[in-house]
Amino acid sequence: MKQAISILLAILCFMTAGAQKTSIEEYIQTYRDLAIQEMKRTGVPAAIKLAQGIHETEGGNSDLLKRSNNHFGIKCKTNWTGETVYHDDDALGECFRKYPSAEDSYRDHSNFLKGSSRYAFLFNLKPTDYKGWAYGLKRAGYATNPRYPQIIIKYIEEYGLEEYTLMAMRDGSPANDSMNMS
């Protein structure tokens, strides 16, 4: 009986791990075009955007995402005038931005990075420098997790997300001078 329970538990663990990976792949398939579109519009690398989205939404499964369409964990801040939702993060009951759609979240994330002086230096990096972007986001204060850059880099490398940055560079007019491939 104990052996049967152990086997059942092993199967359930394997199925759960596989379901999460599938969920991440589904997240990528669902949102890759938005990431490419936003890269063409603003210069935020598609690989970075997808990796951040995967991390911040737990592969499309987070409670915050389900309640707010917030793909990037962006908090309200003082200038936010849209809808809000409260969620426990670094502190209990923090205010997060709520969006009518994923597209609105993706657009706001791009505008948030592009419109803030603390992230301006990132746009001097090549869009293919995903490691520079990942470490730069942490340095600029995007996340409190000290391992944030490594997490973002791991998603990019594990799921081949750089492909979407390269697609955006080939397929569209650059949003800024840093998007050239040289």
Side-chain angles (χ1 to χ4, degrees), residues 3 75 122 147 167:
Q3 186 178 14
K75 295 179 181 170
L122 292 170
R147 293 200 20 82
M167 286 173 66

Side-chain angles (χ1 to χ4, degrees), residues 166-179:
L166 296 173
M167 286 173 66
M169 292 172 73
R170 281 192 303 266
D171 295 344
S173 58
N176 61 45
D177 292 336
S178 72
M179 284 189 51

Side-chain angles (χ1 to χ4, degrees), residues 117-137:
S117 60
R118 73 183 205 194
Y119 299 110
F121 72 96
L122 292 170
F123 294 90
N124 295 323
L125 299 174
K126 291 183 178 182
T128 54
D129 183 6
Y130 62 86
K131 290 180 181 178
W133 270 83
Y135 281 98
L137 284 165

Side-chain angles (χ1 to χ4, degrees), residues 104-118:
D104 291 313
S105 179
Y106 267 68
R107 180 173 288 276
D108 187 54
H109 174 257
S110 299
N111 293 344
F112 179 79
L113 295 178
K114 190 77 174 172
S116 173
S117 60
R118 73 183 205 194

Side-chain angles (χ1 to χ4, degrees), residues 134-135 138 145-157:
Y135 281 98
K138 173 64 178 133
N145 183 338
R147 293 200 20 82
Y148 194 80
Q150 294 88 347
I151 293 166
I152 297 304
I153 291 165
K154 181 180 182 289
Y155 282 128
I156 291 170
E157 292 176 350

Side-chain angles (χ1 to χ4, degrees), residues 8-91:
L8 182 59
L9 286 174
I11 291 170
L12 286 173
C13 287
F14 179 76
M15 289 173 56
T16 302
Q20 180 62 27
K21 189 166 180 106
T22 300
S23 180
I24 289 173
E25 291 165 352
E26 289 172 358
Y27 185 93
I28 294 165
Q29 293 302 311
T30 302
Y31 299 110
R32 67 183 181 191
D33 292 339
L34 266 178
I36 291 169
Q37 174 186 322
E38 283 302 298
M39 179 173 168
K40 290 178 186 179
R41 186 176 75 84
T42 65
V44 176
I48 288 291
K49 188 172 282 290
L50 285 168
Q52 284 189 281
I54 290 165
H55 176 62
E56 298 290 344
T57 68
E58 300 168 13
N61 295 301
S62 74
D63 179 57
L64 178 63
L65 175 67
K66 292 173 184 172
R67 293 177 32 230
S68 67
N69 262 324
N70 189 330
H71 285 253
F72 302 97
I74 300 178
K75 295 179 181 170
C76 294
K77 307 293 182 195
T78 56
N79 62 344
W80 180 248
T81 58
E83 288 189 58
T84 62
V85 66
Y86 292 89
H87 180 76
D88 296 344
D89 190 41
D90 295 328

